[in-house]
Each structure stands twice: as structure tokens, then as C-alpha cells.
Amino acid sequence: MTSRPLSTALSLVLLTLGVGMIALLLHVNRHIQEQMENNIKGIDMVVGAKGSPLQLILSAVYHIDAPTGNIALSEAEELQGNGLVSLGVPLSYGDSYLGYRIVGTNHEYPKLYEATVADGKLWQKSFEVTVGATAARNLNLALGDTFIGSHGLAEGGEAHDEHNYVVVGVFESTNSVIDQLILTATESVWEAHQHEEDHGDEVHEEDHDAEEHQQDHAGQEDHHDHGEQEKDHHSGEQDEDHDHDDRGEEITAMLVKFRNPVGLIQLPRMVNENTNMQAAVPVYEISRLFGLMGVGLDTLNAIALVIIIVSGLSVFISLYSALKDRQYEMALMRTYGASRWQLVWLVLQEGLLLTLIGFILGIVFSRLGLFLVSNLMESNYHYAFSGWDWAAEEGWLMATVLFIGLLAALLPAIRVFRINISKTLAND
Amino acid sequence: MLKTRSLFFTYNRQVQFHFPDIDLEAGDNLLILGESGIGKTTLLHLIAGLLPPESGTVELMGTVLHELSAAKLDRFRGRKIGLVFQRPHFVQALNVQENLLLVQYLAGKSQDTNRISTVLDSLGLADKLKEKPHRLSQGEQQRVAIAIAVINNPQLILADEPTSSLDDKNCRRVATLLQEQAADTGAQLVVITHDHRLKEQFRNTLNL
């Protein structure tokens, strides 16, 4: 092996690549699946604005996509009154702090994930927040800290600089999406945006005045415009008044739990057909997502398997050609008293050792890759993997790889077994 | 006590060898002389049990070689027969000492570094212990080959053209060393060669 460093290295690189790829995919897939399933827990249906159902699920359940839009609270509450619904949790999101999402909701939401408060308490009034474990750690937020939320989900969005959020609690780590969120009362989100709307109107009014000023100089046509604009403005005010009566008009989505399985059959259809909202079933959407991802994963797995097989071939070639050079050595060892089986075992050992080293290197690389992917996921999606444990499938992977090593060594071993000592020695 | 009886071997119809019977007592040496192509190496391989004869027997210390099973024959050869080849060959990856340890191990003997030092010392190779064999000179390599042949105290030392690639000085030296080593271990020595330089050093000569 050491006398043929290049071909040995080639075999090892190929093996490492194949094994590393499969092990990495195995773990990434498992972690994603675990995380996804963990977060669905107890949510039978999500109701939100019309759009892509997958987007609704990704944004409302996993908080990794943009929301589809807003729905009227009254409409959502009407649904909540339906006899088939046992629980409806309103969510209002769209704001963030340094990339971590601020979600307005009620106290039912953390209950859904069995999240308990490690420090402090749940929010009691507007602009009080309780922070998820990971978010608190990475943002360095502790009890009593204040921060300013920004509009939008990306870092560095426009700041709502009028209102400070106050941290009143930090959650225990739950290994679910809550860890990555900043939870507050629904009213905080409304008020933050309400204020912005008022502010926006003021700006509009200034423009309006300017237009009016211009319009004074203009002709009759402009007067007509002016009238219309005034009407617009007026109706806008009316809307606002109406809102106040309703106590905050919109939420982004509502997580729904059914009283019994009949709900699954009736409610999504009802919502999609009879209301302005969209209903999506997380279990269904996620299995659809995995179906789509599965094709890619299967392809990658197949490629990795081919790489492993090619590496087996390369081990075979390197052993076989090494044997050609060492045939004399083998015959020599037989004259020293080595039995056929001893030499066969020697060759098999070499194949096994080579593949074992490749396997170990592959596992090491997969863990390294996992670490990188985990870091990437955490910085991009605020999802972290936990656990570097040994997957059961890796046992199978090892068995497969060693079997391939054995197979690659088999033909050279047979050649060694059948070696004609006399001829080999005489031919030199 | 080496006995061969009516040994016959054939590669094909054209190449057939009938070998004369050989009787050798303990402590005896024998030089088998013959030109190329008359089956010298074949005879040596037959005696060493590396080739099964078409007919006839080889008997060493009362054991008929080709009545042993393959594994037992390998073991018997390792313990009782020492072989020296025309051009020395070693396991390239191992140094001189490791090669000798391997030979002890393969013969099923205990790995005895004292014995190795003694043998190498008597062959004037004491300082080459940790050297890789292919770094040694031709003469030194041939002496290491002798060390390998005698390390396990064999009953029979078989040498196939041990001197053909050596100059006169080294030729004499190797022949003398072979005889000395054989005498030291109480083994019979059979040298097969076409090298007439060796004739004067051996009492018993057999012409093929």
C-alpha cells in the first residue's frame, strides 16, 4: 500500500468522498425532517392570506419564508367559533430584530410547543416580549433589555423607532421554532404598525396640501381632482374609525387545531371555497416538500453510491497491480513456510484496511460538513442541528463499504491462492 | 538424510526430465552441475516441494514431501528447508531484520532477535540490521539471502545458482559461507549451478 502512494491515495479520496457524501446527506436529511416534524406538533391547519400553501406553511409554522399577506381578524375569529375547531392561535409577523422575527400572538402559542419560561415571565402587555432561547443567546438579550424592531424580515430594515420592546422573559430551549423567535402580544405589532400608518398619513397630507396649493393655480379640471382626493381621504378616515371599533383589524395567519379528524376533511375546503382566506395542512404540505426534495436527495445518494463503487474498483485495480509486482514476494513467502490462507488473508486485510480508513475519513468529513451546514443554516435560517450521534444507517454504510473492500480484494486473493510458486520463482 | 527416488517431471511432451537418485547423509554437501535447460531448477523445486513430481518421491528426514497436505507441506518447508535463489529477493517494504523476523514468523518459530544477530554477525552483516535490502550491494544481498535460508536451523539448504551473478571473490566467499552455515546448523547443503568455479570447493559433485 505504501509502496504505491498515488493509487492508494486515489482509492482513499474516492472512498472518502462517497462515504462522506452519503453520511452527510443522511444526517442533514434526518435533522431537517426531525426539525420539521417537531415544529408541526399539534398544528392541524394554517389559515392565512391566499397564495402558495407551501409558503404559508413555511412562513407561519417554520418562520423561514415571507408571509403571504394579511387576513381580517374578524374572519379568523369567525372560523375559531366553528364547532370543529378546538384552538386557533393568531400570529402577526413581518417585523424582526437583527434578523430574528418578532411574532405577535397570544399565550396559547408557546403552549403549543410546551415552551416554558426559563427566566422572567410571559409578556403581559404591548411591547413586552419573551425571547426564544437561541435568539436570546445570539442577540445577547437579557431581562430588562430594550430594543427597537425593524420593519421587514431582513436585517437592517426600516426601524420602528417610536417603540421600544422590553424583554420580560426568556424561554427554555425547546428544540423547536420558538427558540428562534421573539414573542410578543398581537397588539404590539398592531400598535407599531398603526403608528406607522398614522405617520404615513401625515406625510400624505403634507403632499396633499402641496397639491392643493398647486391646484389653486390650476383650472377647473383640477378642482374635480381635488374633490375626488378629498373623498378618498375622507373614506380613509372612515376606515380608520371602523378599525378602532373592531380592535385591530388584521393578523398574518392563524394556527388551527381540530376538535376531531372530521375537521381535516371539512374545514380546509370550507375555508378555501367560502372565505377570502387560504387554508393549508402542514403535514400534507411538508410531505409534498419532502417529495420534491426526495428526488434531489435520491439523485445525490445515487451519485455517492456510484462514487463508492468506483472507489471499490480503484481499490481493486491498485491491489491487483500491486500484486503483479509482488507476486514474487508472495511466492517467496510461501517458500518461507507461509500457507495459502495466510497470504489470502494478507491481501484481504489490505483491502479491508484500505476501505476502513476510507470509511473513517468519510465519516470525519461528513461531520465536518455537517458542522459547516449547521453554521450556514443557523446564520441563514436560524436553524441549528444538534447531535453528532452515530446514525443506524451508518452501520449499514460501513458494512457496505467493507463488503466492497472485500469484494475488491477477492480476485487478487484468489490469484494469490492459486499462485504457482515454482513458475513465479523461475520466471524472474 | 535426503533421498530422491526415480524423480520424473514433464512440462509437456517435448520437455521431460528424468533425474538420477540422490542419497545424502546428514552433514553431507552436494554440488549438482549442469548446463542451462536440463532441469536444474526443476529438480531443486521438486526437492523443495515447490513442484509436485509426475512420479517418484522426495524423502527428507523420513517424511515423503508430496504425501503431505498443501498447508503441512508449506509449514514443513518453512521449518526444515532453507532456500537460496539465483538473485536474492526480499519483501521490499521491510528492512533486513524485519525480513528475518517475517521468515521466523511464517515458519511458526518464535521471533528471536538474538538468533538474527548471531547469523548476521557470522555473515559479516552485523551493521546492516536496519538497512532496506535493496540498498545493499549484490554480494551483501546474497549474504542476507543465506541468512534467511539458515535462520530457522533447517535440515536442508537448497541453493539455486547462488553465485552466478557474483565476481570470483564474492563467489568463493558465498560458497564458503554456505558450507560454514550448513556445518553450523548441521544441515545438508545442495547447490545447483552451472558455475564451474564452485567445483573445487565441493567433494561430492553430481553432473546432470
Side-chain angles (χ1 to χ4, degrees):
Chain A
M1 267 195 311
T2 45
S3 58
R4 308 175 68 83
L6 277 183
S7 66
T8 305
L10 177 68
S11 311
L12 280 181
V13 166
L14 284 171
L15 254 176
T16 304
L17 206 65
V19 169
M21 230 166 120
I22 288 188
L24 183 64
L25 288 176
L26 221 74
H27 275 274
V28 169
N29 198 19
R30 203 183 55 156
H31 279 295
I32 290 179
Q33 216 149 357
E34 255 172 26
Q35 277 275 10
M36 290 247 160
E37 270 152 24
N38 197 19
N39 286 331
I40 289 181
K41 222 162 33 184
I43 303 169
D44 294 322
M45 182 175 84
V46 179
V47 180
K50 291 219 183 281
S52 148
L54 187 57
Q55 187 188 354
L56 179 59
I57 298 291
L58 288 177
S59 67
V61 180
Y62 302 106
H63 297 278
I64 48 177
D65 204 349
T68 46
N70 287 340
I71 54 173
L73 179 65
S74 55
E75 214 167 359
E77 272 171 347
E78 200 175 301
L79 179 72
Q80 218 176 340
N82 189 302
L84 290 167
V85 173
S86 76
L87 176 70
V89 182
L91 294 180
S92 305
Y93 49 92
D95 285 358
S96 63
Y97 173 55
L98 298 181
Y100 284 85
R101 296 185 180 203
I102 299 168
V103 178
T105 181
N106 60 26
H107 291 178
E108 295 294 331
Y109 186 59
K111 250 185 236 167
L112 214 52
Y113 293 98
E114 289 151 13
T116 51
V117 178
D119 208 8
K121 55 177 185 169
L122 288 175
W123 65 94
Q124 303 299 327
K125 54 180 200 270
S126 295
F127 296 105
E128 285 186 348
V129 298
T130 308
V131 186
T134 313
R137 181 160 36 86
N138 293 351
L139 294 174
N140 262 328
L141 286 177
L143 287 190
D145 286 356
T146 59
F147 61 88
I148 295 162
S150 58
H151 191 69
L153 299 173
E155 265 179 68
E158 184 202 339
H160 294 302
D161 44 9
E162 310 295 326
H163 284 282
N164 280 347
Y165 288 99
V166 184
V167 179
V168 296
V170 174
F171 284 112
E172 201 93 61
S173 176
T174 58
N175 245 339
S176 68
V177 69
I178 292 242
D179 293 354
Q180 322 279 352
L181 297 177
I182 298 166
L183 299 187
T184 183
T186 310
E187 289 79 12
S188 329
V189 178
W190 286 339
E191 278 170 37
H193 285 250
Q194 192 67 54
H195 181 82
E196 191 159 89
E197 268 167 38
D198 290 349
H199 188 70
D201 275 356
E202 273 168 35
V203 174
H204 188 71
E205 234 147 20
E206 271 167 35
D207 285 349
H208 196 76
D209 286 346
E211 271 175 54
E212 255 177 346
H213 189 67
Q214 273 188 335
Q215 277 160 3
D216 287 344
H217 292 275
Q220 281 184 333
E221 264 182 339
D222 288 310
H223 263 288
H224 182 65
D225 269 357
H226 176 65
E228 227 175 38
Q229 260 165 352
E230 219 162 26
K231 218 160 74 187
D232 271 354
H233 186 60
H234 192 65
S235 72
E237 266 173 9
Q238 257 185 345
D239 270 352
E240 239 166 71
D241 288 342
H242 179 68
D243 289 345
H244 280 295
D245 292 346
D246 231 8
R247 263 319 294 137
E249 46 160 5
E250 289 183 322
I251 58 172
T252 319
M254 181 177 265
L255 307 177
V256 177
K257 223 171 163 172
F258 297 138
R259 204 174 290 281
N260 60 48
V262 179
L264 185 65
I265 304 165
Q266 293 189 355
L267 282 179
R269 244 205 22 225
M270 191 207 89
V271 171
N272 285 335
E273 284 175 4
N274 301 337
T275 70
N276 284 327
M277 306 182 293
Q278 171 190 221
V281 179
V283 178
Y284 175 67
E285 292 303 327
I286 289 311
S287 75
R288 204 164 65 96
L289 180 66
F290 275 124
L292 293 172
M293 263 166 54
V295 179
L297 283 174
D298 286 349
T299 314
L300 283 175
N301 264 327
I303 292 172
L305 204 65
V306 167
I307 293 177
I308 288 187
I309 290 171
V310 169
S311 80
L313 205 67
S314 145
V315 170
F316 164 71
I317 291 171
S318 105
L319 282 180
Y320 200 81
S321 59
L323 187 69
K324 256 186 182 162
D325 300 345
R326 290 173 45 198
Q327 217 164 16
Y328 195 94
E329 243 170 50
M330 293 288 173
L332 209 62
M333 289 208 251
R334 287 287 302 282
T335 72
Y336 297 157
S339 72
R340 292 164 189 272
W341 290 109
Q342 267 178 304
L343 296 187
V344 165
W345 179 228
L346 198 73
V347 174
L348 291 185
Q349 258 179 327
E350 221 166 296
L352 286 177
L353 192 68
L354 206 65
T355 42
L356 191 67
I357 292 174
F359 176 76
I360 291 170
L361 282 179
I363 292 295
V364 168
F365 267 73
S366 78
R367 293 303 187 275
L368 219 67
L370 203 59
F371 180 70
L372 290 178
V373 171
S374 176
N375 275 354
L376 199 77
M377 292 279 280
E378 184 155 17
S379 60
N380 286 352
Y381 301 102
H382 303 304
Y383 267 91
F385 296 150
S386 53
W388 306 90
D389 50 334
W390 176 263
E393 290 91 338
E394 282 173 334
W396 282 107
L397 189 61
M398 178 158 135
T400 310
V401 166
L402 287 185
F403 178 71
I404 286 175
L406 207 63
L407 214 64
L410 202 62
L411 208 63
I414 290 174
R415 241 179 96 122
V416 164
F417 186 81
R418 302 173 59 128
I419 199 168
N420 184 332
I421 313 171
S422 172
K423 217 173 173 178
T424 310
L425 291 177
N427 277 351
D428 189 70
Chain B
M1 292 140 291
L2 169 71
K3 265 191 251 175
T4 71
R5 289 292 173 265
S6 49
L7 275 178
F8 170 66
F9 189 84
T10 171
Y11 288 102
N12 52 53
R13 279 178 193 287
Q14 280 78 47
V15 188
Q16 299 188 333
F17 301 117
H18 289 275
F19 297 106
D21 294 352
I22 298 169
D23 281 276
L24 217 55
E25 290 303 314
D28 269 358
N29 294 342
L30 177 68
L31 182 72
I32 300 175
L33 266 174
E35 295 308 314
S36 300
I38 61 165
K40 291 196 307 294
T41 297
T42 305
L43 177 59
L44 187 109
H45 287 177
L46 286 172
I47 295 172
L50 296 173
L51 270 181
E54 210 75 9
S55 64
T57 57
V58 177
E59 195 184 319
L60 183 65
M61 315 277 301
T63 305
V64 179
L65 291 191
H66 301 102
E67 286 174 357
L68 295 171
S69 69
K72 277 194 177 143
L73 180 59
D74 286 331
R75 179 54 56 93
F76 183 85
R77 185 191 308 119
R79 283 168 166 270
K80 308 285 187 193
I81 301 173
L83 284 157
V84 181
F85 298 103
Q86 177 172 1
R87 287 215 288 113
H89 281 277
F90 312 95
V91 178
Q92 296 294 344
L94 306 179
N95 66 29
V96 170
Q97 186 182 34
E98 288 162 346
N99 263 284
L100 288 163
L101 284 169
L102 176 71
V103 174
Q104 287 179 328
Y105 166 75
L106 290 176
K109 303 239 173 172
S110 61
Q111 303 195 323
D112 182 353
T113 46
N114 286 336
R115 167 80 185 144
I116 291 171
S117 301
T118 313
V119 170
L120 286 179
D121 215 16
S122 69
L123 290 164
L125 292 167
D127 54 333
K128 308 291 187 210
L129 205 63
K130 303 286 181 195
E131 206 78 52
K132 286 276 165 71
H134 57 89
R135 295 198 173 276
L136 300 175
S137 73
Q138 280 283 331
E140 286 168 337
Q141 286 191 20
Q142 197 56 282
R143 279 184 278 150
V144 174
I146 294 171
I148 285 175
V150 303
I151 195 78
N152 289 327
N153 291 311
Q155 304 295 325
L156 175 66
I157 298 170
L158 293 171
D160 185 9
E161 304 272 19
T163 56
S164 62
S165 57
L166 300 179
D167 57 33
D168 289 354
K169 190 177 138 223
N170 271 312
C171 168
R172 258 198 309 284
R173 180 152 188 215
V174 163
T176 312
L177 282 172
L178 273 172
Q179 288 173 323
E180 278 174 16
Q181 292 296 325
D184 279 358
T185 56
Q188 302 150 48
L189 172 66
V190 176
V191 177
I192 297 184
T193 189
H194 71 274
D195 191 346
H196 290 274
R197 294 178 295 184
L198 289 175
K199 238 179 7 195
E200 60 209 46
Q201 298 206 24
F202 284 80
R203 267 190 298 124
N204 300 331
T205 306
L206 176 73
N207 280 297
L208 275 185

mmCIF file of all heavy atoms in Angstrom, chain B residues 92-111:
data_model
loop_
_atom_site.group_PDB
_atom_site.id
_atom_site.type_symbol
_atom_site.label_atom_id
_atom_site.label_comp_id
_atom_site.label_asym_id
_atom_site.label_seq_id
_atom_site.Cartn_x
_atom_site.Cartn_y
_atom_site.Cartn_z
ATOM 1 N N GLN B 92 10.214 -6.021 -0.028
ATOM 2 C CA GLN B 92 10.868 -4.715 -0.218
ATOM 3 C C GLN B 92 10.564 -3.712 0.888
ATOM 4 O O GLN B 92 11.398 -2.875 1.216
ATOM 5 C CB GLN B 92 10.445 -4.114 -1.567
ATOM 6 C CG GLN B 92 10.889 -4.913 -2.775
ATOM 7 C CD GLN B 92 12.399 -4.930 -2.951
ATOM 8 O OE1 GLN B 92 13.106 -4.124 -2.357
ATOM 9 N NE2 GLN B 92 12.894 -5.860 -3.743
ATOM 10 N N ALA B 93 9.345 -3.798 1.417
ATOM 11 C CA ALA B 93 8.928 -2.781 2.386
ATOM 12 C C ALA B 93 9.626 -2.959 3.741
ATOM 13 O O ALA B 93 9.624 -2.053 4.560
ATOM 14 C CB ALA B 93 7.417 -2.819 2.573
ATOM 15 N N LEU B 94 10.251 -4.137 3.954
ATOM 16 C CA LEU B 94 10.820 -4.428 5.269
ATOM 17 C C LEU B 94 12.345 -4.347 5.245
ATOM 18 O O LEU B 94 12.964 -4.613 4.215
ATOM 19 C CB LEU B 94 10.406 -5.838 5.709
ATOM 20 C CG LEU B 94 8.899 -6.124 5.699
ATOM 21 C CD1 LEU B 94 8.626 -7.567 6.123
ATOM 22 C CD2 LEU B 94 8.152 -5.165 6.607
ATOM 23 N N ASN B 95 12.961 -4.002 6.369
ATOM 24 C CA ASN B 95 14.416 -3.978 6.445
ATOM 25 C C ASN B 95 14.941 -5.394 6.717
ATOM 26 O O ASN B 95 14.164 -6.340 6.850
ATOM 27 C CB ASN B 95 14.909 -2.959 7.474
ATOM 28 C CG ASN B 95 14.529 -3.341 8.902
ATOM 29 O OD1 ASN B 95 14.390 -4.519 9.224
ATOM 30 N ND2 ASN B 95 14.362 -2.334 9.745
ATOM 31 N N VAL B 96 16.264 -5.513 6.790
ATOM 32 C CA VAL B 96 16.877 -6.840 6.893
ATOM 33 C C VAL B 96 16.350 -7.596 8.108
ATOM 34 O O VAL B 96 15.918 -8.750 8.014
ATOM 35 C CB VAL B 96 18.422 -6.700 6.971
ATOM 36 C CG1 VAL B 96 19.055 -8.040 7.315
ATOM 37 C CG2 VAL B 96 18.961 -6.174 5.647
ATOM 38 N N GLN B 97 16.326 -6.912 9.243
ATOM 39 C CA GLN B 97 15.872 -7.585 10.454
ATOM 40 C C GLN B 97 14.409 -8.006 10.345
ATOM 41 O O GLN B 97 14.035 -9.120 10.710
ATOM 42 C CB GLN B 97 16.052 -6.661 11.660
ATOM 43 C CG GLN B 97 15.728 -7.367 12.963
ATOM 44 C CD GLN B 97 15.848 -6.453 14.160
ATOM 45 O OE1 GLN B 97 15.559 -5.262 14.077
ATOM 46 N NE2 GLN B 97 16.290 -6.997 15.274
ATOM 47 N N GLU B 98 13.587 -7.098 9.797
ATOM 48 C CA GLU B 98 12.164 -7.401 9.672
ATOM 49 C C GLU B 98 11.924 -8.576 8.720
ATOM 50 O O GLU B 98 11.051 -9.421 8.954
ATOM 51 C CB GLU B 98 11.395 -6.168 9.192
ATOM 52 C CG GLU B 98 11.271 -5.097 10.267
ATOM 53 C CD GLU B 98 10.920 -3.727 9.711
ATOM 54 O OE1 GLU B 98 11.018 -3.517 8.484
ATOM 55 O OE2 GLU B 98 10.555 -2.867 10.524
ATOM 56 N N ASN B 99 12.720 -8.623 7.648
ATOM 57 C CA ASN B 99 12.613 -9.760 6.740
ATOM 58 C C ASN B 99 12.892 -11.059 7.472
ATOM 59 O O ASN B 99 12.169 -12.041 7.316
ATOM 60 C CB ASN B 99 13.595 -9.598 5.576
ATOM 61 C CG ASN B 99 12.935 -9.001 4.339
ATOM 62 O OD1 ASN B 99 12.211 -9.698 3.641
ATOM 63 N ND2 ASN B 99 13.164 -7.727 4.099
ATOM 64 N N LEU B 100 13.930 -11.052 8.296
ATOM 65 C CA LEU B 100 14.297 -12.271 9.021
ATOM 66 C C LEU B 100 13.237 -12.617 10.064
ATOM 67 O O LEU B 100 12.894 -13.785 10.256
ATOM 68 C CB LEU B 100 15.670 -12.093 9.677
ATOM 69 C CG LEU B 100 16.823 -12.102 8.662
ATOM 70 C CD1 LEU B 100 18.092 -11.529 9.262
ATOM 71 C CD2 LEU B 100 17.076 -13.525 8.182
ATOM 72 N N LEU B 101 12.691 -11.578 10.711
ATOM 73 C CA LEU B 101 11.617 -11.823 11.685
ATOM 74 C C LEU B 101 10.401 -12.431 10.987
ATOM 75 O O LEU B 101 9.754 -13.348 11.515
ATOM 76 C CB LEU B 101 11.214 -10.500 12.366
ATOM 77 C CG LEU B 101 12.178 -9.986 13.437
ATOM 78 C CD1 LEU B 101 11.818 -8.559 13.837
ATOM 79 C CD2 LEU B 101 12.155 -10.896 14.660
ATOM 80 N N LEU B 102 10.130 -11.920 9.775
ATOM 81 C CA LEU B 102 8.995 -12.446 8.999
ATOM 82 C C LEU B 102 9.199 -13.921 8.690
ATOM 83 O O LEU B 102 8.277 -14.735 8.806
ATOM 84 C CB LEU B 102 8.838 -11.646 7.705
ATOM 85 C CG LEU B 102 7.761 -12.144 6.749
ATOM 86 C CD1 LEU B 102 6.373 -11.848 7.314
ATOM 87 C CD2 LEU B 102 7.912 -11.523 5.370
ATOM 88 N N VAL B 103 10.426 -14.258 8.304
ATOM 89 C CA VAL B 103 10.720 -15.650 7.953
ATOM 90 C C VAL B 103 10.547 -16.549 9.179
ATOM 91 O O VAL B 103 9.958 -17.633 9.094
ATOM 92 C CB VAL B 103 12.143 -15.775 7.373
ATOM 93 C CG1 VAL B 103 12.503 -17.233 7.155
ATOM 94 C CG2 VAL B 103 12.246 -15.003 6.071
ATOM 95 N N GLN B 104 10.988 -16.069 10.320
ATOM 96 C CA GLN B 104 10.788 -16.842 11.555
ATOM 97 C C GLN B 104 9.300 -17.002 11.837
ATOM 98 O O GLN B 104 8.813 -18.076 12.181
ATOM 99 C CB GLN B 104 11.456 -16.139 12.744
ATOM 100 C CG GLN B 104 12.978 -16.238 12.726
ATOM 101 C CD GLN B 104 13.594 -15.515 13.905
ATOM 102 O OE1 GLN B 104 13.062 -14.520 14.381
ATOM 103 N NE2 GLN B 104 14.729 -16.006 14.366
ATOM 104 N N TYR B 105 8.564 -15.884 11.656
ATOM 105 C CA TYR B 105 7.134 -15.901 11.961
ATOM 106 C C TYR B 105 6.386 -16.866 11.043
ATOM 107 O O TYR B 105 5.569 -17.670 11.490
ATOM 108 C CB TYR B 105 6.563 -14.495 11.822
ATOM 109 C CG TYR B 105 5.064 -14.463 11.797
ATOM 110 C CD1 TYR B 105 4.331 -14.652 12.968
ATOM 111 C CD2 TYR B 105 4.375 -14.265 10.606
ATOM 112 C CE1 TYR B 105 2.961 -14.639 12.952
ATOM 113 C CE2 TYR B 105 2.999 -14.254 10.575
ATOM 114 C CZ TYR B 105 2.288 -14.450 11.752
ATOM 115 O OH TYR B 105 0.929 -14.441 11.729
ATOM 116 N N LEU B 106 6.714 -16.777 9.736
ATOM 117 C CA LEU B 106 5.993 -17.604 8.765
ATOM 118 C C LEU B 106 6.271 -19.082 8.971
ATOM 119 O O LEU B 106 5.447 -19.929 8.664
ATOM 120 C CB LEU B 106 6.354 -17.184 7.335
ATOM 121 C CG LEU B 106 5.807 -15.824 6.905
ATOM 122 C CD1 LEU B 106 6.296 -15.465 5.510
ATOM 123 C CD2 LEU B 106 4.284 -15.821 6.953
ATOM 124 N N ALA B 107 7.453 -19.406 9.490
ATOM 125 C CA ALA B 107 7.779 -20.814 9.730
ATOM 126 C C ALA B 107 7.152 -21.292 11.029
ATOM 127 O O ALA B 107 7.235 -22.471 11.364
ATOM 128 C CB ALA B 107 9.292 -20.995 9.781
ATOM 129 N N GLY B 108 6.534 -20.379 11.751
ATOM 130 C CA GLY B 108 5.907 -20.768 13.005
ATOM 131 C C GLY B 108 6.894 -20.867 14.151
ATOM 132 O O GLY B 108 6.605 -21.455 15.179
ATOM 133 N N LYS B 109 8.076 -20.254 13.962
ATOM 134 C CA LYS B 109 9.061 -20.264 15.051
ATOM 135 C C LYS B 109 8.904 -18.985 15.869
ATOM 136 O O LYS B 109 8.308 -18.007 15.406
ATOM 137 C CB LYS B 109 10.477 -20.314 14.464
ATOM 138 C CG LYS B 109 10.704 -21.509 13.559
ATOM 139 C CD LYS B 109 11.828 -22.356 14.087
ATOM 140 C CE LYS B 109 11.942 -23.633 13.278
ATOM 141 N NZ LYS B 109 13.103 -24.421 13.605
ATOM 142 N N SER B 110 9.464 -18.977 17.051
ATOM 143 C CA SER B 110 9.395 -17.756 17.848
ATOM 144 C C SER B 110 10.325 -16.717 17.219
ATOM 145 O O SER B 110 11.341 -17.053 16.608
ATOM 146 C CB SER B 110 9.825 -18.048 19.287
ATOM 147 O OG SER B 110 11.155 -18.512 19.288
ATOM 148 N N GLN B 111 9.979 -15.443 17.359
ATOM 149 C CA GLN B 111 10.768 -14.389 16.736
ATOM 150 C C GLN B 111 11.931 -14.038 17.672
ATOM 151 O O GLN B 111 11.759 -13.424 18.703
ATOM 152 C CB GLN B 111 9.877 -13.177 16.472
ATOM 153 C CG GLN B 111 8.691 -13.558 15.600
ATOM 154 C CD GLN B 111 7.990 -12.367 15.005
ATOM 155 O OE1 GLN B 111 7.869 -11.333 15.634
ATOM 156 N NE2 GLN B 111 7.529 -12.510 13.781
#
